[in-house]
Every structure is written in C-alpha cells, then in structure tokens.
Amino acid sequence: MNLGLDAADGDILAITDDDSAPFPDWLQRIEQAFQKDRTLAGVGGRDFIRQNGTLLDDPVRLVGQVLWYGKIIANHHLRTDKAQFVDLLKGVNGAYRLSVLKEIGFDRRLRGRGAQWHWELSLGLSLHQRNWCLLYDPEIRVNHYPGNLFDDRSRDVYNSEEVRNRSHNETLVLLGYLPSINRMVFLTWAILVGTSESYGMVQMLRYVPREKKQALAKFRDNLHGRYTGVRSWLRH
C-alpha cells in the first residue's frame, strides 16, 4: 500500500477492495463531499454485504467510532440514514486527500501478512491527532462480496496468528491515541471483557460451553497480542 501511495498522483486517493463493486456514482459523490468541506481529510460510506443472499440491513445509530475506553464501533456495512463524522472509515470504501495521506503514510508498525488488521484505525486516529475530519456518508456506496483470505486472516477457520496480530495492532494504535487514564481502562476492559473477536475473560466464559478448548485458545492469543502490543508501543 505504501508503494502504491508513493506512486500515486492527483488530489484524492480512493480505496476499495478486490472483492467489491462501487456504485456508478461512487467517485462523483466522493468528489462532491471533498468540494463541500475543506476540513475533510477523508470520506467514505457503506459497503453492502449479503449473507446467504440476504442483505445485512439492521439500523444503527453509530458508525466508525472509538469509545472512551477503546471499544471500536464499526457498523459501516449496516443501515444509517444520516451522514456523520467518524473516527475511522472502512478499507473497502474510503478516499483521502493525497497530500495528507502521503505525509502520514500507512502504518508500518502493524503486524500481519497480506492486509494488516486495523490499518484503517491507525490512519483515522492519526488524522484526528492532526485535527483533520473524516466523514461517513451512507450514500457513498459499494457492493461488498467478502471472499477467501489467503494470508494470516481467515473468515471460517480459527487462526492463532490472526488473533495475536489483530490484538497487537489494536493495542499499539489505541495506546498511542488514548489519554493516559483511558489507556489503563482500555487494557483492563480488553483483558477482563474483550470482544467476540478478541476474547477477554468474560467472552471466554461466555463461549466455553460452545467452543470448549478453542475459547481458551482465543483468550490466550488475545492476551499474547495485548502484551506484544504494549511492548511495541513502549518501543515507539
């Protein structure tokens, strides 16, 4: 991605995935958004995902937000009727001012083979720290057909390396963004509670009846990723 960024030319760099199909007015709406607001460093929108032929269309209020204790609210693929300022855009549907993007670059500290987990989070929070804004507009649309992943990430089979890399990257990025007190709250929450992707103790106990030893492995790998994330943050 950094090689592509170095070679890019123009005013706006629009990014999507190889398993997506932007709507015909995608670039037009992106251009209009930047023209209306000079404070924007990035704009993006909704990616339509279908599961077994059914559109995932639950209504949501918040999109692309980082809560005060570090929990990430994504929801970019779900339904909201209003444009809103966000903390991060989704990689499948985002565009950025090229001059700003070249200044920051894509985070080289992140771990992973192929596409690194949480590069969008790192980019979004870096822009916020420089007082730029990001806009999510649900009318900027792409169809998203999540395909097979051929790196350390998998959508169907548990991958220990994936969980460790994801937890490492999230921890590294958030510790560099959150205020000092919030960092301690985040680490406590991440270890004791966690999420359905990165198990803390509560999530492990929740899923043990169904997943047995795999739930313990997910908890172990999350702890490993948090630990290495803290070490990486301290080194930087």
Side-chain angles (χ1 to χ4, degrees), residues 60-61 63 79-85 135-138:
V60 294
R61 183 172 60 88
V63 176
R79 174 163 49 92
T80 182
D81 297 328
K82 295 181 179 179
Q84 56 186 282
F85 291 108
L135 180 71
Y136 173 90
D137 183 347

Side-chain angles (χ1 to χ4, degrees), residues 54-84:
T54 301
L55 178 67
L56 300 180
D57 197 40
D58 294 335
V60 294
R61 183 172 60 88
L62 291 179
V63 176
Q65 302 293 330
V66 177
L67 303 186
W68 65 273
Y69 58 94
K71 183 177 181 179
I72 301 168
I73 305 295
N75 293 337
H76 298 82
H77 65 294
L78 299 177
R79 174 163 49 92
T80 182
D81 297 328
K82 295 181 179 179
Q84 56 186 282

Side-chain angles (χ1 to χ4, degrees), residues 116-154:
Q116 283 71 42
W117 283 102
H118 294 304
W119 69 263
E120 306 102 316
L121 175 68
S122 177
L123 177 58
L125 297 186
S126 294
L127 291 168
H128 273 286
Q129 288 176 322
R130 291 164 172 79
N131 298 316
W132 285 98
C133 296
L134 297 175
L135 180 71
Y136 173 90
D137 183 347
E139 294 302 316
I140 298 174
R141 302 163 293 173
V142 303
N143 282 312
H144 192 186
Y145 310 96
N148 293 327
L149 298 173
F150 299 100
D151 44 31
D152 63 334
R153 309 190 305 166
S154 173

Side-chain angles (χ1 to χ4, degrees), residues 170-227:
E170 181 183 69
T171 303
L172 171 62
V173 172
L174 289 176
L175 289 180
Y177 175 75
L178 295 171
S180 55
I181 295 178
N182 301 57
R183 292 171 189 155
M184 295 305 301
V185 176
F186 160 65
L187 289 174
T188 302
W189 168 80
I191 293 170
L192 294 182
V193 183
T195 69
S196 58
E197 292 182 334
S198 300
Y199 287 8
M201 188 174 297
V202 171
Q203 295 288 1
M204 177 194 69
L205 294 174
R206 175 188 175 191
Y207 284 101
V208 157
R210 186 170 67 191
E211 297 180 348
K212 307 296 192 264
K213 291 183 179 180
Q214 189 175 98
L216 298 175
K218 290 181 178 180
F219 177 59
R220 175 202 65 207
D221 292 329
N222 179 51
L223 288 183
H224 184 278
R226 300 298 181 194
Y227 170 71

